Amino acid sequence: QTQCSMSKATKSKLPPPKLILVIDPAAAAGVALFAEGKLVAHSPAKGDSFRSLMQVVGPLVQPYLAKYPESERICLLEQHWMSFRSVKGSLTLGQRRGIAQSAGEACGFNLWLYIGASTWQNGLFGGRVPDTKAAAVKHVQDKYGFTPATDDVADAIAIGDYYLANLVSL
């Protein structure tokens, strides 16, 4: 398994993966799938157990796995940060990220990129916005012409869009 981060030390100019699975890990997770740079699927998911998350992720990616070998796949996960104001909440988010990573790995994604919330939000929205969830929903509405089922789905789509827009500098 390969792990990446958005630090300057790991940035390189690699060709973009052709199949991108994005999971915004939470109890109410958001999942998005991009094939060859285009959004092809998205869904809300129950992200508090491997089984419930796989019920969504598995069928979502299955039609694309035969076309794209493992070397052309990447899984993006929103990175959580430890908050000393809510240690329990931070631990729970870390556990949910582990569940999300396991679901991606079970579906054949073995290249990972963890993207911090402030990284993609500042990158897409040009700085701080009062309500990042609303900004993500508006981003999806403006770019794709639909309202996502949940703001977590909007986050997953926005994370994928941020990644695709910044591939040349990763």
Side-chain angles (χ1 to χ4, degrees):
Q1 171 179 322
T2 304
Q3 296 182 26
C4 300
S5 69
M6 289 295 289
S7 70
K8 288 184 181 188
T10 61
K11 289 183 180 181
S12 63
K13 293 184 179 181
L14 299 173
K18 293 183 179 175
L19 189 63
I20 302 167
L21 172 64
V22 187
I23 303 174
D24 179 23
V31 181
L33 187 67
F34 294 80
E36 300 185 31
K38 294 184 168 85
L39 178 65
V40 294
H42 50 86
S43 180
K46 191 172 179 203
D48 58 358
S49 78
F50 175 78
R51 182 178 299 170
S52 63
L53 189 56
M54 279 300 293
Q55 289 173 347
V56 171
V57 175
L60 203 72
V61 302
Q62 191 60 42
Y64 300 91
L65 296 179
K67 183 175 180 180
Y68 302 103
E70 284 187 26
S71 63
E72 295 180 349
R73 302 177 198 160
I74 191 168
C75 183
L76 310 178
L77 300 170
E78 185 178 60
Q79 176 72 289
H80 79 282
W81 300 102
M82 179 60 88
S83 168
F84 294 103
R85 288 181 279 170
S86 176
V87 173
K88 183 179 178 193
S90 292
L91 292 172
T92 299
L93 284 174
Q95 292 166 339
R96 296 213 170 111
R97 190 194 81 189
I99 291 168
Q101 181 176 331
S102 296
E105 187 174 348
C107 290
F109 289 80
N110 293 308
L111 179 62
W112 306 97
L113 184 64
Y114 308 109
I115 301 176
S118 62
T119 299
W120 71 263
Q121 291 164 357
N122 289 334
L124 274 186
F125 309 140
R128 293 196 177 262
V129 294
D131 184 348
T132 58
K133 295 289 190 182
V137 169
K138 183 174 180 346
H139 168 81
V140 172
Q141 290 170 330
D142 291 348
K143 183 169 183 176
Y144 296 101
F146 71 90
T147 300
T150 68
D151 53 21
D152 297 299
V153 172
D155 283 355
I157 294 168
I159 291 166
D161 285 341
Y162 168 80
Y163 174 75
L164 287 166
N166 290 281
L167 277 174
V168 293
S169 65
L170 291 178

